[in-house]
Amino acid sequence: MRAALQSEIGQDKLEVVEDMEAVGFGPGKVRLRIKATGLCHSDLSAMSGVLPQPAPFIPGHEGSGEITDVGDGVTQLKIGDRVLVCWLPPCGHCPSCKRGQGHLCLEAFGNVATPNFRRAGHEIFGFAGTGTFAEEVVVPAGCAIPIPDDLPHDIAALIGCGVTTGLGAAINTAKVEAGSSVAVIGCGGVGISVIQGAKVQGAAQIVAVDPVASRREAALRFGATEAVAPDAFGDAKNRITAGEGFDYVFEVVGKSATTQTAYEMTRRGGSVVVVGAGALDDTYSINMFSLFFDEKKILPSMYGGGDVLRSYDRTIALWRAGRVDLAGLITHRVRLGEINDALDQMRTGVALRTCIEL
C-alpha cells in the first residue's frame, strides 16, 4: 500500500512510498482502510523532534475510515463499520480512567512503542501508535470509534484530535463562563476550535491573537469578536478589560514565551489554559510571589481535558445543531501524493486544517 514515510527525525519532507505493509493484526485488533486524515501541527512537531517519536515512522493521528477486518475477541465492531481513529483510547480500568480522566490513560501509550508497519523487512512506527498517513492501518479495537452515517469522513477525522482538543479546552478544562472575556493565542485548527468552544459557552468577548493575517480573518468567521496581531495584544487588553486582563487566556502554540504572554494578559484570579504541545527542553517558570499573590490558575489541557468518547458525542451533537462549523476548518484538500505541499501550507500558516484524502 501507499504511505507517507518519515525516515529520520528532522527530515522536513515525507517520502510517499508504494510498498508499505500494515502489520500487527491479531486478537483485539482491527484493520482500517483510511478514507481521510487531517494534518495536525503535532505531526510537524513529531517530524522536527519537538514531540518524542521513534523513527522511522508514518505521521498522522487524525483519521477516519472503514473496518476491513476484525481480530478474535473483537465484538463491538464489524467489517464495514465507519469509524474515526482515537489515538489515546481510555482503557476503562486504570486509576485515571476510574477517576473519569480517560484522556490521561497511560495504558494507551503502550501502542506508541509498538511498530505497526513494515517495509522491506524493516519495522516502521506509526505516530502516536496510529500512523494515518497510510491507506491502511492496524490498531487496537479501542482506537476505532464508530461514527454515524451522516458524519462525513473528513469531519470525523478532525474530531479525532484537533477539534476535540480545542472545544474541550474551553468546555471541559476552563469551563468558560457566560459573559466572560477570552483571548486565544494561536489560531490554527485547534485555536479556532477553542474559539468555537468559548462561543458555545457564551463568552462575551473573544480576542484571537495570531501573526498570520489569514488566520486572524478566519478567527472572525468562527466566532472571535476581534482579531489582532501579537504586537496589538496589549492594546486590546487595555481597551477591552480596562487594563485588568482577560478572564481566560488560551495558549495554543506550545512555547514558554507565549505561555508567559498568556500569563501577563490574564487578570488576577483568571485562568491561563495551556493547550499547545511543547518540547521537553522548553521550561516555563514563574516567581512564587506572583503565583501566590495574583492567584492566576494555570490549567494544562491535554486532548480536551475530559472523557474523549463523551467529547466526540458532544461535538457531533453541536455540529448537527449548527452550533460549531467543522467543515469550514478544512481549508486545504490534497491527495496523498501532494502531502509535502500540505506540509508547506501548514508551516506558513496558510491552512487551518488540511484534509488528505486516501
Side-chain angles (χ1 to χ4, degrees), residues 13-357:
K13 299 292 184 183
L14 295 172
E15 178 187 4
V16 178
V17 300
E18 305 280 343
D19 57 348
M20 191 66 65
E21 179 187 3
V23 299
F25 182 73
K29 300 289 187 72
V30 296
R31 187 185 301 273
L32 306 181
R33 170 72 179 183
I34 298 294
K35 295 291 187 179
T37 182
L39 174 57
C40 180
H41 200 276
S42 295
D43 299 308
L44 299 182
S45 295
M47 291 174 64
S48 67
V50 170
L51 295 180
Q53 169 64 45
F57 73 99
I58 295 175
H61 60 292
E62 287 183 344
S64 176
E66 294 181 357
I67 301 285
T68 60
D69 204 355
V70 297
D72 292 343
V74 177
T75 58
Q76 72 274 29
L77 297 166
K78 65 183 184 301
I79 294 173
D81 281 354
R82 304 172 75 251
V83 298
L84 64 78
V85 175
C86 174
W87 64 271
L88 188 61
C91 72
H93 54 75
C94 72
S96 291
C97 287
K98 288 181 177 179
R99 285 191 292 263
Q101 296 176 307
H103 63 295
L104 299 180
C105 178
L106 287 177
E107 182 169 307
F109 277 105
N111 301 328
V112 176
T114 303
N116 47 355
F117 298 95
R118 184 186 296 118
R119 181 181 184 234
H122 297 286
E123 293 183 328
I124 309 291
F125 294 92
F127 178 44
T130 58
T132 56
F133 291 0
E135 292 178 319
E136 289 187 349
V137 63
V138 172
V139 294
C143 292
I145 310 302
I147 57 174
D149 291 340
D150 65 330
L151 185 67
H153 280 295
D154 52 2
I155 292 177
L158 300 186
I159 293 174
C161 185
V163 168
T164 295
T165 297
L167 289 179
I171 299 171
N172 297 328
T173 304
K175 297 179 173 61
V176 170
E177 293 188 359
S180 61
S181 61
V182 169
V184 179
I185 304 174
C187 298
V190 176
I192 292 293
S193 296
V194 172
I195 288 169
Q196 295 202 75
K199 180 181 178 182
V200 165
Q201 290 289 97
Q205 290 93 25
I206 305 173
V207 177
V209 185
D210 199 285
V212 181
S214 61
R215 289 189 172 187
R216 296 197 298 270
E217 293 168 5
L220 294 171
R221 296 196 304 271
F222 284 95
T225 56
E226 188 169 338
V228 299
D231 60 4
F233 192 12
D235 290 340
K237 182 196 80 168
N238 293 333
R239 177 168 35 82
I240 293 170
T241 72
E244 183 182 20
F246 295 90
D247 297 317
Y248 306 89
V249 181
F250 293 82
E251 195 279 349
V252 201
V253 179
K255 293 185 179 296
S256 58
T258 41
T259 299
Q260 179 59 32
T261 298
Y263 189 88
E264 293 169 355
M265 294 296 172
T266 303
R267 66 166 173 82
R268 295 185 69 216
S271 296
V272 181
V273 189
V274 181
V275 186
L280 286 169
D281 59 355
D282 186 8
T283 301
Y284 175 67
S285 63
I286 185 172
N287 73 74
M288 292 301 294
F289 178 78
S290 178
L291 188 63
F292 163 77
F293 186 71
D294 291 328
E295 205 182 77
K296 298 181 184 182
K297 292 173 280 294
I298 300 177
L299 305 174
S301 183
M302 180 174 172
Y303 207 179
D307 183 318
V308 293
L309 302 184
R310 289 184 59 191
S311 294
Y312 293 161
D313 289 341
R314 178 182 61 205
T315 299
I316 293 170
L318 290 171
W319 168 75
R320 280 177 172 157
R323 300 286 303 281
V324 296
D325 177 7
L326 303 186
L329 283 170
I330 304 170
T331 53
H332 192 41
R333 292 179 180 272
V334 299
R335 304 296 295 181
L336 186 60
E338 305 165 309
I339 196 166
N340 287 312
D341 170 56
L343 292 174
D344 291 339
Q345 293 266 8
M346 183 66 74
R347 289 190 182 101
T348 58
V350 174
L352 294 176
R353 254 312 180 268
T354 293
C355 173
I356 302 164
E357 299 171 332

